[in-house]
Amino acid sequence: MNLTLDFNNVMSDVIGHEHGLRPEDIDVVKGRGAEIHKNLQERRKADIGFYSLPYDNKLLREVLSLSKELAGSFDNLIVLGIGGSSLGGRAIFNALCHPYHNLLSRTGSVGVYPRLKRNASSIFFCDNIDPDSFEPLLKMLDLRKTLFNVITKSGETAETVAQFLAVKKLLEKEVGKKYKNHIVITTDPIKGPLRKLAGEEGFKTLSIPPNVGGRYSVFSAVGLFPSTMAGVDIKKLLAGARDMDKVCSIDNIWKNPAYMSAIIQYLAYQRGKNISVIMPYSNALRDFSEWYIQLWAESLGKSVNLKGKAVNIGPTPVKAIGTTDQHSQLQLYMEGPYDKIITFIEVKKFKNEVSIPKMFEDFKEIGYLGGRSMEELFRAELVATRIALTKNKRMNYTITIPDINPFTIGQLLFFFEVQTAFAGGLFNVNPFNQPGVEEGKKLTYGMMGKKGYEKKGAEVKEGLRRNKRYVIQG
Ligand code: PA5
């Protein structure tokens, strides 16, 4: 089960010298690549923790045993968390569970999807504090049959903490003292207010290793617990990640797909292609794209480089879904500025087959489809879009996976983690911090009256001043 990277369509012999890369351009980065590789490999046992997660048997045992303990008691799992504390789990859920998982009967007939096989819970990801989505969900579900997984590494992200407080109150009202049994906290193993509070209140807990940042936490309890509650085979997911680790630890950039993909992205950026579009031809990879976008944006968008010099650097990731966005964004990609590189993700085989029946054969505009399959049409659209972009000298390349299953999704997620870490080295920035996000958090604390953030509160007041001349009332 191999992932392949085909980058023919970024090369100059295919799209020409003005926009394409020559093998020599790639080889120029070889020396730097070797240094970055060495650095990543040295640090994987120290401060870059995501590499070790797929090998962590203790973590796996903890997650499996907790889900076994809880699975039979709850019909629903609501995940409270935001950013890296939500997107990984959501990506796995979207990729591997039935597209309408939550609507399926728990006792339905056995099928290819986890819920039917494993009698799994309904899963909801609340990654926003929009009251108009939060409140209706809580009102709709039977809270006596609902488990909440509160995920926050810092233990103090305002959105997640606000949700937790609201839920605790509701649960107390609904189930009394038993409310504790309805909450699992996933947070730092030692630090942070939620860790302390979990100890005092007696909540069940899972840990996020201190050396794993939010957006690299998909193979920690953050992604694994909701996934196993949804019925996903997380052992296979981790096996896929380990398999990809082997491939992505090869030092030769011409043999390592994650390194090569990062190099292509970096060289494209150097040539003015500062928008990086990810375009899977699969609805099951929709949330995977969102996970990837956060990983890429938060890791590479930085104001300073590793030497502290102002650089304001970073490619802008954009999500597109084939074929849907052929009818939305593609016009711009075909004819707009030469500022984009497109990464297609192709799935070779789908789980379901839909044949297009032969009918209306006299109508040549319609009849030609009869006797073909939707899968064939899907593939034809991808091939056609790829060729059209290539003809227009638009840089594009394709990552292909044989099909979507826990192993290949494990591979894909790990591939992009390594690609991003390696790209951090090429862009010469720290891909593991997010000072820009932190600043927004601090200003929010100031506005909401958190102790110690009074100065930030004053800054917000200043920032709220408006010149009426620039405000138009409709
Ligand atoms: O990737 C990141 O580090 C961020 O997106 C965080 O995951 C996000 O801000 C949530 O933080 P926390 O898990 O501390 O609540």
Side-chain angles (χ1 to χ4, degrees):
M1 280 193 275
N2 286 329
L3 169 155
T4 54
L5 174 84
D6 179 343
F7 56 99
N8 270 278
N9 300 346
V10 301
M11 300 306 287
S12 60
D13 32 356
V14 178
I15 58 167
H17 290 296
E18 195 185 345
H19 297 288
L21 304 175
R22 296 164 308 165
E24 308 86 275
D25 299 327
I26 292 173
D27 279 333
V28 166
V29 193
K30 238 182 184 173
R32 281 245 327 275
E35 274 170 38
I36 300 165
H37 168 76
K38 191 163 167 271
N39 182 273
L40 290 177
Q41 291 297 318
E42 278 168 10
R43 288 172 60 195
R44 62 181 287 159
K45 292 239 153 56
D47 61 321
I48 306 181
F50 81 84
Y51 274 109
S52 310
L53 294 174
Y55 301 90
D56 191 336
N57 289 325
K58 184 168 166 274
L59 159 78
L60 178 65
R61 276 198 305 275
E62 272 168 19
V63 167
L64 287 175
S65 106
L66 188 60
S67 71
K68 200 167 161 205
E69 181 188 330
L70 298 172
S73 319
F74 297 99
D75 287 350
N76 317 301
L77 171 70
I78 301 187
V79 178
L80 305 179
I82 196 162
S85 286
S86 171
L87 287 160
R90 193 143 69 76
I92 298 172
F93 176 62
N94 174 222
L96 297 173
C97 293
H98 188 286
Y100 305 102
H101 176 96
N102 290 347
L103 299 178
L104 295 177
S105 147
R106 290 189 85 181
T107 50
S109 60
V110 172
V112 289
Y113 293 102
R115 176 152 194 167
L116 295 174
K117 270 192 195 159
R118 287 179 242 275
N119 191 21
S121 332
S122 295
I123 312 283
F124 302 89
F125 290 88
C126 284
D127 63 352
N128 207 345
I129 38 167
D130 182 338
D132 286 348
S133 59
F134 191 65
E135 177 79 356
L137 177 66
L138 297 183
K139 285 225 166 105
M140 182 183 81
L141 298 177
D142 181 351
L143 295 188
R144 289 166 307 172
K145 293 187 180 151
T146 303
L147 177 70
F148 291 85
N149 184 196
V150 185
I151 308 181
T152 165
K153 185 169 181 215
S154 62
E156 55 181 316
T157 299
E159 292 90 331
T160 310
V161 172
Q163 289 175 334
F164 162 67
L165 297 175
V167 158
K168 180 173 179 284
K169 175 117 198 248
L170 278 176
L171 279 173
E172 277 173 326
K173 200 168 146 222
E174 197 66 34
V175 300
K177 285 200 174 118
K178 285 193 193 145
Y179 77 91
K180 290 174 192 173
N181 303 337
H182 290 248
I183 294 177
V184 172
I185 306 250
T186 304
T187 190
D188 186 278
I190 300 160
K191 286 194 307 195
L194 275 202
R195 172 58 61 184
K196 191 155 177 260
L197 210 142
E200 282 170 13
E201 295 265 319
F203 294 129
K204 291 185 176 23
T205 61
L206 290 164
S207 295
I208 311 170
N211 62 358
V212 174
R215 59 191 176 276
Y216 294 90
S217 68
V218 58
F219 296 115
S220 76
V222 172
L224 296 183
F225 181 69
S227 300
T228 190
M229 289 295 286
V232 170
D233 186 340
I234 57 171
K235 285 188 186 164
K236 287 199 180 130
L237 185 89
L238 294 170
R242 287 195 299 273
D243 179 77
M244 206 23 56
D245 180 29
K246 273 193 225 123
V247 181
C248 296
S249 291
I250 298 172
D251 58 357
N252 182 344
I253 54 170
W254 288 92
K255 296 250 158 66
N256 183 324
Y259 288 0
M260 183 55 83
S261 185
I263 290 170
I264 291 166
Q265 293 283 341
Y266 171 69
L267 294 175
Y269 184 83
Q270 300 295 320
R271 283 159 178 73
K273 281 103 181 83
N274 53 17
I275 297 174
S276 171
V277 179
I278 186 112
M279 190 162 185
Y281 273 64
S282 158
N283 268 14
L285 297 179
R286 199 179 277 267
D287 287 358
F288 159 81
S289 306
E290 290 195 6
W291 168 83
Y292 162 74
I293 280 177
Q294 189 230 5
L295 180 66
W296 198 241
E298 237 175 51
S299 300
L300 303 179
K302 298 289 149 77
S303 64
V304 293
N305 69 12
L306 288 172
K307 289 200 169 134
K309 186 173 165 249
V311 283
N312 299 104
I313 207 166
T316 301
V318 169
K319 179 184 88 171
I321 294 285
T323 66
T324 309
D325 286 307
Q326 283 177 212
H327 303 269
S328 158
Q329 303 173 33
L330 187 63
Q331 167 65 29
L332 175 67
Y333 302 167
M334 284 288 289
E335 296 186 2
Y338 286 88
D339 58 357
K340 296 169 199 71
I341 173 161
I342 292 123
T343 309
F344 291 110
I345 302 186
E346 178 175 9
V347 179
K348 274 278 177 223
K349 191 162 175 16
F350 292 87
K351 291 188 180 69
N352 299 282
E353 270 179 28
V354 179
S355 50
I356 306 171
K358 277 195 176 158
M359 56 177 79
F360 303 121
E361 286 174 52
D362 297 343
F363 290 80
K364 64 177 186 333
E365 304 87 340
I366 295 171
Y368 73 99
L369 287 169
R372 314 301 287 253
S373 71
M374 264 187 206
E375 192 176 333
E376 260 182 292
L377 178 61
F378 211 16
R379 198 164 313 291
E381 300 250 13
L382 166 57
V383 170
T385 304
R386 193 158 49 198
I387 293 176
L389 284 164
T390 307
K391 271 173 70 180
N392 276 13
K393 304 186 185 347
R394 307 293 166 150
M395 272 187 150
N396 70 88
Y397 65 104
T398 304
I399 293 164
T400 305
I401 54 172
D403 57 6
I404 292 185
N405 65 53
F407 189 87
T408 56
I409 291 302
Q411 287 181 313
L412 203 62
L413 291 163
F414 199 84
F415 170 94
F416 280 102
E417 289 187 327
V418 177
Q419 172 187 310
T420 309
F422 191 83
L426 293 168
F427 282 93
N428 200 26
V429 296
N430 180 356
F432 303 109
N433 68 2
Q434 57 286 325
V437 180
E438 301 305 327
E439 183 55 20
K441 283 188 182 183
K442 285 176 196 157
L443 290 166
T444 306
Y445 296 153
M447 243 175 122
M448 298 297 284
K450 188 172 177 178
K451 231 175 158 203
Y453 292 87
E454 293 75 8
K455 273 196 183 151
K456 293 287 166 194
E459 258 183 63
V460 171
K461 271 196 194 135
E462 189 57 30
L464 282 175
R465 256 192 247 225
R466 312 306 312 141
N467 182 339
K468 285 204 175 122
R469 193 170 164 208
Y470 306 139
V471 179
I472 299 175
Q473 297 279 357

